Amino acid sequence: MPRETKQAKLERALAVADRMNEHYPQAECALVYGGNPFRLLIAVLLSAQTTDKGVNKVTPALWEKYPTVADLAQANVADVEQIIKTIGFYHTKAANCIKCAQMVLSEYGAEVPRDIDELQKLPGVGRKTANVVLNEAFGIVEGIAVDTHVFRIAHRLKFSASDTPSKTEQDLLKLYPREYWGPINHQWVLFGRETCIARKPKCDTCFIQDLCPTYAASRKAAEKRAAKK
């Protein structure tokens, strides 16, 4: 099979974006944070390797007990652990929440920084979290947040073959024009939850199956197996 040209890949990528816009025209962050950038920061920090639904179950109690940055900065780690203990890695996340609040308070005057490099200085905050916070809270698009869904979909669509989220992000940034970056995370997360599921993707009913090399390869393999019977 001939190797896909750079132009052909770009056209396919833009076609995927068009389909995503049709199916998810108003895709938004599933985390509930009340429009407060600091609460969003903490919620995204908590969401690592945990579902947004699980995070949304614990954050109301967290905000009630610690309504401000200063309140959380003075929290006892055991108390925070008790509130968030139903989510994964809660010991580490509880400590990072408090340290993050302390640094936002002491270094940034209780205001979440609007810079991707400054955000990544905060405990527990990586590039994915920084991208989500900048995009969602401030409308600043510096990159594409690559979580497990985006990583998986990028590879199934053959838009990346890189082995880390950061490298995968760079592949996507090189492929997509900047004006397309903003909606990708929210749209692909929904797509990953509903259709391009990790273990059993719903390829037969997928609205981008004709644009997916992985689906094409699986169909070709199925046809070969059928021909041998």
Side-chain angles (χ1 to χ4, degrees):
M1 192 170 182
R3 184 175 181 179
E4 186 176 36
T5 66
K6 184 177 180 179
Q7 182 60 31
K9 181 183 283 189
L10 172 60
E11 291 174 359
R12 188 164 59 84
L14 297 183
V16 167
D18 288 341
R19 302 268 183 95
M20 291 289 179
N21 287 333
E22 290 174 7
H23 281 75
Y24 305 113
Q26 296 179 320
E28 57 186 20
C29 182
L31 294 167
V32 178
Y33 64 98
N36 183 310
F38 180 71
R39 291 186 177 183
L40 174 64
L41 173 64
I42 295 300
V44 180
L45 188 157
L46 293 175
S47 71
Q49 296 179 287
T50 303
T51 65
D52 291 345
K53 185 177 180 180
V55 173
N56 289 336
K57 287 182 178 180
V58 303
T59 48
L62 189 67
W63 308 148
E64 183 177 1
K65 188 171 180 65
Y66 309 107
T68 69
V69 178
D71 291 326
L72 187 56
Q74 297 172 21
N76 179 283
V77 69
D79 292 337
V80 176
E81 287 179 351
Q82 184 63 29
I83 294 173
I84 68 169
K85 65 181 181 180
T86 57
I87 66 174
F89 304 98
Y90 70 94
H91 291 297
T92 300
K93 289 177 181 179
N96 281 337
C97 282
I98 295 171
K99 292 175 184 176
C100 185
Q102 291 171 342
M103 190 168 178
V104 169
L105 185 65
S106 63
E107 300 295 325
Y108 303 102
E111 297 290 332
V112 175
R114 303 188 180 198
D115 179 89
I116 196 164
D117 294 324
E118 293 301 314
L119 278 167
Q120 289 181 87
K121 293 178 182 179
L122 299 173
V125 177
R127 186 173 174 89
K128 185 214 80 170
T129 298
N131 270 321
V132 171
V133 172
L134 285 177
N135 190 355
E136 176 71 17
F138 305 119
I140 299 172
V141 181
E142 291 291 334
I144 297 171
V146 176
D147 58 11
T148 56
H149 295 291
V150 176
F151 184 86
R152 178 174 69 256
I153 293 164
H155 285 72
R156 285 180 175 170
L157 288 172
K158 305 302 181 186
F159 290 159
S160 175
S162 297
D163 59 355
T164 66
S166 60
K167 291 178 182 177
T168 298
E169 180 191 5
Q170 292 307 310
D171 292 336
L172 292 175
L173 297 181
K174 291 174 184 176
L175 175 62
Y176 276 103
R178 191 181 185 93
E179 61 266 27
Y180 286 84
W181 296 356
I184 286 178
N185 179 263
H186 292 335
Q187 290 176 339
W188 288 24
V189 165
L190 288 174
F191 178 62
R193 288 174 179 160
E194 297 174 0
T195 304
C196 198
I197 301 165
R199 293 187 178 180
K200 293 183 178 180
K202 301 176 182 178
C203 297
D204 290 338
T205 58
C206 178
F207 60 84
I208 60 169
Q209 63 174 228
D210 58 312
L211 300 170
C212 180
T214 299
Y215 175 75
S218 68
R219 292 294 299 170
K220 189 174 182 180
E223 289 171 1
K224 283 186 177 180
R225 288 195 298 269
K228 290 180 180 179
K229 292 182 180 180

